[in-house]
Amino acid sequence: MRNPATLEQIAELPVASAAEVAAAATRARKAQRLWQAKSFAERAKLLYRFRDLLIDEQEQLADIVTAESGKPRSEVYGNELFYVCDVIGFWAKNAEKFLKAKKIRPHLFMFKAKKVISAQYPLGVIGIISPWNFPLVLTAGDAVPALMAGNAVLIKPSELTPLTALFVTALAQKAGFPDDLLQTIIGAAETGQALIDHVDMIAFTGSVEVGKLVAQRAAERLIPVSLELGGKDPAIVLKDADMERAANACVWGALMNSGQVCTSIERIYVEEPVYETFVAKVVERVRALRQGASQEEVELGSMSSEEQFKKVKAQVDDAIAKGAKALTGGRANPNFRGFFYEPTVLVEVNHDMAVARDETFGPIIPIIKVRDADEAIRMANDSRYGLDACIFTRDKQRAARMVDQINTGTVCINDGLVNYIIPDTPMGGVKDSGFGRRHGKEGIRKYCRQKTIVIDRFGLKSDFPWFPASRKKTEQMRRLITVLWRSGWKNKLRSPSRAR
Ligand code: NAD
């Protein structure tokens, strides 16, 4: 492994074999049985201790995250540690409420003789397979609800950023979690596939292509999967928008973490009358940004890998070859050895260019002029992805109508990127952006199996539909069906045989 900002070698780790993955799952299963017996309050207590350790060890944590990802230190605190500390409190407080067994009142009078309960049980061992863009959020952050639900967790972090997950599991051990309850498994695709063979559910975050392979493997065992995949999130700026807010939000939304965010704004559609003003504001803000090494006071770090750097470069080169213009950047930053790509504002972009169609995952802001809101919606929906979208306008009613028309899992109005960090509300995609939700009650119930319990209340010797069958019973049932469900008040009083 090397630091993508400095290209220094930082670690070499042994890859877990299939047999080692199987053994880890067996140990996790043992630990899970003890963990499931603990109350929500006991689980929460350990998570709070874990959070204290994360805060105490924040300097070392920031060193590790920046070294393996190339992101600035400010982003480790602002985006990674802040989120994980917040969600620990959120799940610790709310898990019981979301998972508490609920009494269900049957709607039909005949079933009032039954007491019905819907309960949630932990699935067992959860496998979390993570990408490299948020080494803390997408490992520890996703493990917290799974643990609060009573599961053991095996994290398979990206092969590019495994050190943060290793550090986190060591801290969990120090906080007093049962041995083997939370483990980190090191490896790449093969290890990920082996993990799917031994766990009870896979929470996958990553690319569409790998997401499909994960779903295929999981289908062989019929275990549930949640797939949080890629995005090509559009922003729409209408002529009545607050231009200052729209420009600030779009620059942050497109360039945070150097654009390596699943919900990055990756294409901006701007109504014609405000196009020039908006572009000028964006360019001014992007020119003021500082790029550099993790320890410095900078807004942008390096790309997290050479592969990602090449992908971004190829998309920009393709766009420029097809007629786009780079108003800033458009090249690697010559001041650094590592994988730094300059923040790039692209105009004269169209949907024939990869930069407008394919996920970029880089510091690129393609801006496209549109006639009106309808054209913007049409172009926004012209994508295989459907993760998040942003609309900038002062007209709330119009925004509400546009929300109905946009085909994405989440929509931000006069905002960007913020939905991910509000754990109270479900977050996830449609179309090629995957299925399953993180956050909200959906975000913890996915780690559970739902069980329905029906209890007879009156203790009669026999219920009406039970054996033996008789003509009389059948006739009564026919009458009942007609009375209950045949439309028209007259027909309610007539049996089907008499109606003939
Ligand atoms: P990736 O799909 O290449 O890898 C993701 C993880 O899957 C890694 O841990 C990798 O080792 C593992 N893996 C690879 N092949 C596998 C296989 N055949 N079976 C099992 N596991 C396998 O993704 P990446 O390049 O690490 O991350 C970038 C992608 O992640 C982008 O597409 C981005 O949009 C997406 N992402 C999505 C979200 C979201 O919430 N929707 C969040 C962050 C990143």
Side-chain angles (χ1 to χ4, degrees):
M1 283 181 61
R2 57 182 177 168
N3 180 325
T6 62
L7 305 190
E8 278 162 11
Q9 189 74 18
I10 52 172
E12 206 172 316
L13 299 172
V15 165
S17 67
E20 283 165 331
V21 174
T26 305
R27 294 195 305 273
R29 221 165 267 293
K30 233 179 179 174
Q32 191 271 332
R33 281 195 278 275
L34 300 174
W35 185 243
Q36 182 170 356
K38 290 194 187 297
S39 67
F40 285 103
E42 287 172 306
R43 292 178 203 153
K45 201 168 151 193
L46 283 177
L47 276 170
Y48 286 132
R49 207 177 292 158
F50 170 61
R51 180 166 71 180
D52 287 344
L53 288 177
L54 277 174
I55 294 170
D56 292 347
E57 304 292 337
Q58 58 184 275
E59 290 298 326
Q60 203 187 339
L61 178 71
D63 287 344
I64 294 171
V65 178
T66 55
E68 65 180 358
S69 69
K71 65 175 76 187
R73 213 170 178 80
S74 57
E75 292 208 333
V76 179
Y77 296 116
N79 304 325
E80 301 246 33
L81 189 57
F82 177 91
Y83 169 87
V84 171
C85 288
D86 181 46
V87 295
I88 287 175
F90 175 77
W91 294 117
K93 282 197 198 92
N94 291 297
E96 186 168 10
K97 180 179 84 189
F98 291 144
L99 302 182
K100 204 162 74 186
K102 288 215 165 35
K103 225 168 114 179
I104 311 270
R105 290 181 194 288
H107 71 288
L108 203 58
F109 71 95
M110 300 161 71
F111 300 133
K112 300 286 183 203
K114 314 291 170 194
K115 183 173 170 185
V116 183
I117 294 163
S118 172
Q120 304 284 340
Y121 291 83
L123 280 166
V125 180
I126 306 296
I128 292 178
I129 302 182
S130 307
W132 41 261
N133 55 334
F134 287 97
L136 182 65
V137 166
L138 296 171
T139 55
D142 284 350
V144 173
L147 291 169
M148 269 313 290
N151 297 287
V153 177
L154 300 181
I155 301 172
K156 212 272 327 140
S158 165
E159 56 276 31
L160 297 176
T161 54
L163 300 177
T164 305
L166 280 173
F167 183 69
V168 160
T169 38
L171 278 193
Q173 186 79 20
K174 209 166 146 191
F177 281 91
D179 288 350
D180 302 317
L181 184 75
L182 179 66
Q183 300 175 56
T184 292
I185 311 276
I186 301 299
E190 256 179 56
T191 312
Q193 292 276 295
L195 184 66
I196 302 168
D197 293 342
H198 297 285
V199 294
D200 301 305
M201 187 253 174
I202 287 284
F204 174 81
T205 306
S207 61
V208 178
E209 291 65 32
V210 175
K212 287 179 183 171
L213 296 176
V214 166
Q216 278 167 19
R217 187 85 166 214
E220 283 170 25
R221 295 191 52 233
L222 282 180
I223 58 166
V225 286
S226 64
L227 299 177
E228 301 269 354
L229 309 176
K232 186 74 195 169
D233 292 354
I236 296 176
V237 181
L238 298 185
K239 57 178 184 272
D240 68 339
D242 177 335
M243 283 299 124
E244 287 289 309
R245 183 166 177 85
N248 287 333
C250 286
V251 170
W252 152 257
L255 301 182
M256 196 272 268
N257 206 29
S258 293
Q260 301 168 116
V261 184
C262 52
T263 52
S264 278
I265 294 174
E266 292 219 349
R267 47 203 173 112
I268 307 178
Y269 302 99
V270 187
E271 259 191 311
E272 215 163 355
V274 292
Y275 175 80
E276 300 294 342
T277 313
F278 178 80
V279 170
K281 283 187 188 298
V282 167
V283 167
E284 185 193 333
R285 279 155 184 75
V286 171
R287 288 211 173 112
L289 296 175
R290 297 157 298 177
Q291 195 167 32
S294 65
Q295 306 296 336
E296 298 163 15
E297 200 178 31
V298 293
E299 286 81 25
L300 272 75
S302 70
M303 307 307 304
S304 289
S305 70
E306 184 171 14
E307 194 187 341
Q308 196 53 38
F309 172 87
K310 283 183 177 161
K311 187 175 150 198
V312 171
K313 184 178 179 320
Q315 282 196 10
V316 174
D317 291 351
D318 166 75
I320 290 172
K322 288 177 177 158
K325 286 198 179 71
L327 301 183
T328 66
R331 56 172 195 171
N333 190 321
N335 301 324
F336 301 100
R337 276 186 71 213
F339 305 121
F340 287 83
Y341 199 89
E342 289 185 351
T344 300
V345 179
L346 280 181
V347 292
E348 311 291 328
V349 173
N350 63 53
H351 278 211
D352 293 334
M353 300 169 183
V355 80
R357 275 194 331 265
D358 301 339
E359 185 179 52
T360 308
F361 235 54
I364 313 303
I365 312 183
I367 309 182
I368 297 174
K369 194 193 294 179
V370 290
R371 262 192 322 275
D372 53 25
D374 287 344
E375 188 177 32
I377 292 275
R378 192 176 49 70
M379 293 183 87
N381 283 338
D382 177 24
S383 172
R384 63 192 281 225
Y385 296 105
L387 199 51
D388 189 24
C390 306
I391 301 168
F392 293 88
T393 174
R394 286 191 170 94
D395 183 340
K396 287 186 185 150
Q397 283 175 352
R398 183 179 221 195
R401 284 196 301 276
M402 290 171 74
V403 166
D404 292 343
Q405 294 169 323
I406 280 194
N407 200 3
T408 55
T410 57
V411 185
C412 291
I413 297 174
N414 297 323
D415 222 322
L417 279 196
V418 73
N419 48 359
Y420 194 100
I421 57 165
I422 305 176
D424 314 67
T425 177
M427 184 267 162
V430 296
K431 300 199 276 186
D432 272 6
S433 293
F435 52 78
R437 295 290 181 263
R438 48 161 62 88
H439 303 154
K441 73 173 183 314
E442 293 83 348
I444 189 162
R445 288 193 179 170
K446 72 179 180 188
Y447 295 126
C448 296
R449 60 169 61 92
Q450 184 274 342
K451 188 181 279 182
T452 302
I453 304 133
V454 181
I455 307 163
D456 176 59
R457 286 148 71 113
F458 299 148
L460 299 177
K461 297 293 175 219
S462 178
D463 278 6
F464 179 74
W466 295 3
F467 297 145
S470 69
R471 270 181 213 281
K472 192 174 160 197
K473 264 194 189 176
T474 305
E475 182 57 25
Q476 283 171 340
M477 191 52 89
R478 290 170 62 149
R479 276 167 176 266
L480 184 67
I481 290 168
T482 308
V483 169
L484 286 177
W485 294 306
R486 182 67 179 89
S487 306
W489 67 272
K490 277 186 197 159
N491 290 332
K492 283 192 177 170
L493 303 175
R494 299 163 71 188
S495 76
S497 51
R498 279 196 201 145
R500 251 184 264 127

